[in-house]
Each structure stands twice: as structure tokens, then as C-alpha cells.
Amino acid sequence: MEVRRIELGPGGTYTLRLPGRGARGYVWTWQVTGDEDAVTVTVADAGPGAERGALPGEAVERAYTLRGRRPGARARIRFAQIRPPYPQEAPYDEILLEVEVRDGA
């Protein structure tokens, strides 16, 4: 599992781009722990290839935008690439973001 440490100011953003494997049934999910009001996570776009439609078997990148909200707050965001029909399977990929929202970051 990859771990990244990120500092954001209130209103500051960070875009995380992740490889897609939708043709194989995988989707990215995320869970925020710690100070859940520290950041918001939104889907930014579907990445290159989405506007024209992905070719069969082509990976479409996913992008997520994190926005800092509350100074002094800390959150951990776990992104996991899973296949929803098979919840017992281990994630194909995982990324953990440790986020701190700081004044002036």
C-alpha cells in the first residue's frame, strides 16, 4: 500500500489521479477517518479517453479532488480499488493519504 502525506491550507486543493480498471469490474472507493470534516473528496473527472468513450479493455484514469476545510484538522483517506460483486476479495490496489490542514500551507 502506498502512503502519501499531504498538507493543505483551508480551501487548498490536491488532485489525485488513479488508474482505472473498469473493464475488469474494479472501481475506486474511499473512506475518510480521523477528523472527517478536515477535507472533502469529490470526483474531478473521468480522465483521458472518457469524453470519446473508452475502447473495450482500455483503462480510464479517475481523478479525485481533495479540498482542505478546517485548519488544525487531520484525516486519513483510504482509496481502495475493489470489485463490488466480490466483497471478500482483497483490493487490487490501495493508497492511503494522510492529510493535514494547516494555516498558510
Side-chain angles (χ1 to χ4, degrees):
M1 174 189 317
E2 179 182 350
V3 178
R4 297 182 192 177
R5 289 173 176 72
I6 300 163
E7 290 183 5
L8 295 172
T13 62
Y14 174 83
T15 300
L16 176 65
R17 296 194 177 282
L18 300 171
R21 289 183 181 82
R24 296 183 189 149
Y26 288 93
V27 298
W28 283 101
T29 61
W30 68 88
Q31 180 180 18
V32 180
T33 58
D35 297 324
E36 293 181 13
D37 63 344
V39 296
T40 57
V41 179
T42 56
V43 177
D45 63 31
E51 64 281 348
R52 64 168 162 71
L55 299 173
E58 180 181 23
V60 176
E61 184 179 77
R62 301 291 179 203
Y64 300 89
T65 299
L66 285 59
R67 181 175 303 278
R69 294 182 57 204
R70 187 167 58 90
R74 293 174 183 254
R76 298 179 93 189
I77 307 167
R78 178 183 170 262
F79 284 85
Q81 196 172 40
I82 63 165
R83 292 194 305 173
Y86 306 100
Q88 72 281 5
E89 287 184 359
Y92 182 85
D93 198 3
E94 292 180 280
I95 295 177
L96 180 64
L97 301 179
E98 296 182 350
V99 182
E100 180 178 1
V101 182
R102 298 172 43 135
D103 278 328

